[in-house]
Amino acid sequence: MPIIRDAEIEQLLRDYAQPVLRAAGLAKQNVRVVVLSDRSFNAFVMDGRHIFINAGALFDAKTPNEVIGVFAHETGHLAGGHLQRLREQLASAQTASIIALLAGIGAAVAGSRSGAGGADIGAAAIMAPQSAIMRSMLAYVRTQEDQADHAGVKFLNATGQSPRGMVELFKRLSNESLFNSRYIDPYMQTHPMPADRVAALETVARASPYWDRKDSSELQLRHDMMRAKLSGFLERPDTVARRYPANDHSLPARYARAISTYRHADLRQAIAQIDALVQTEPNNPYFYELKGQALLEGGHASEAVAPLRRAVQLSHSNPLIEILLAQALNATNNPKLAEEAVALLRAAIIREPEAPDAYSQLAVAYGRKGDLANADLASAQAAFSRGDIKTARQLAARAKTRLPIGSPAWVRADDIVNVKPPNANASSH
Ligand SMILES: [Zn+2]
């Protein structure tokens, strides 16, 4: 599943999710929101540690409150321990058809992973329930949905937020599915939404003292900037131009057009558009980040360094931006900048151990410094994080010969050398 990593979007989604997770008593669980690069509307939980949401859902949600409502519902599933129980049901399921049913409507695995094929399985299973056990499974899933709705409203009330976005979004989704029966939204599969469920939710939600409370204008602007960014990066230039026509001078429209220009048209023109954004909001770290990214990808690494340093500073050292700055420093081919890149990457990796490319950039930076032992270790860690255990062990073994025995780096290399290859011992993790 391709994942979108973006400092600005992740910060916004953390700000959406955190109050709700706290109200659910899950603040300490370190639940992370993961954005999937998929245009369809979907959000789901799988393992108790992550809430997955499609870029399409972020794009379709018109207000922060709608996304917060989706998170409140998903948090209801997490708090209710629904996944765990659904897994146990899956483990005890006897027939292939029950597994297909659960894959389609319960665990969200098949439908979300495999596009149309998975969707067909889910739809067929929903339309052809053949036995009492299937009906009881459906009732079970339905009960979980009702529980998640009620828990979601409770969390929203506890945080003084309106449940209206959740109700309106669910209404919109269930209406769309009526008129579009050939295409079943993944979200509808994983969260079956019959009219009476939405009606029951609406009754509870309308009783909330916060029903009429609106998102702040600042939060709405951040939401609109996120949607503009997704459009600029993911949509074709003509679609972006239609959605954000040149006579729209709002900040989100200018943002979407600047991104689209850098992705698909002229770099200098894009830089002029981004500079105009910086002039409007001189303390917005993400405008400097965008400028640095555009320059770096356009082959102007040295020019990218200054705006990226500013972005790191204004974002209070966001690790994803630190990694981008280190990448620019490496790309300058200037050995004098290697030390700064090493320091940035080592700091970023502590907070973002799974960030793509961080270890391979670290290997480059150590190589520039002439520190071949640590370059080997970082290359070993890069190979390890892509799942190439064989290469990881070879590089780690070479790193060990160059590192002081018993030093922290030697111990890390030794750990990799001693990792069991996959399938050698199924219970090793
Ligand atoms: Zn649900």
Side-chain angles (χ1 to χ4, degrees), residues 18 110 120 183-184 301 326 355 427:
Q18 278 313 319
D120 286 348
Y183 174 70
I184 295 181
S427 63

Side-chain angles (χ1 to χ4, degrees), residues 178-239:
L178 278 180
F179 296 107
N180 200 359
S181 56
R182 271 185 59 81
Y183 174 70
I184 295 181
D185 224 302
Y187 197 73
M188 300 295 288
Q189 278 183 46
T190 56
H191 304 76
M193 216 171 290
D196 58 332
R197 176 188 150 199
V198 181
L201 166 63
E202 184 164 8
T203 306
V204 183
R206 277 189 183 274
S208 162
Y210 308 109
W211 174 258
D212 284 320
R213 186 167 285 186
K214 294 273 186 300
D215 295 305
S216 73
S217 56
E218 295 93 310
L219 200 63
Q220 182 68 52
L221 177 60
R222 287 176 70 194
H223 187 78
D224 293 340
M225 292 297 274
M226 169 178 69
R227 295 175 73 206
K229 187 175 220 174
L230 289 169
S231 170
F233 273 104
L234 301 177
E235 295 191 303
R236 290 166 27 168
D238 54 326
T239 310

Side-chain angles (χ1 to χ4, degrees), residues 73-74 77 144-145 148 187 190-191 197:
H73 175 91
E74 297 305 325
H77 283 308
Q144 293 196 337
E145 290 309 310
Y187 197 73
T190 56
H191 304 76
R197 176 188 150 199

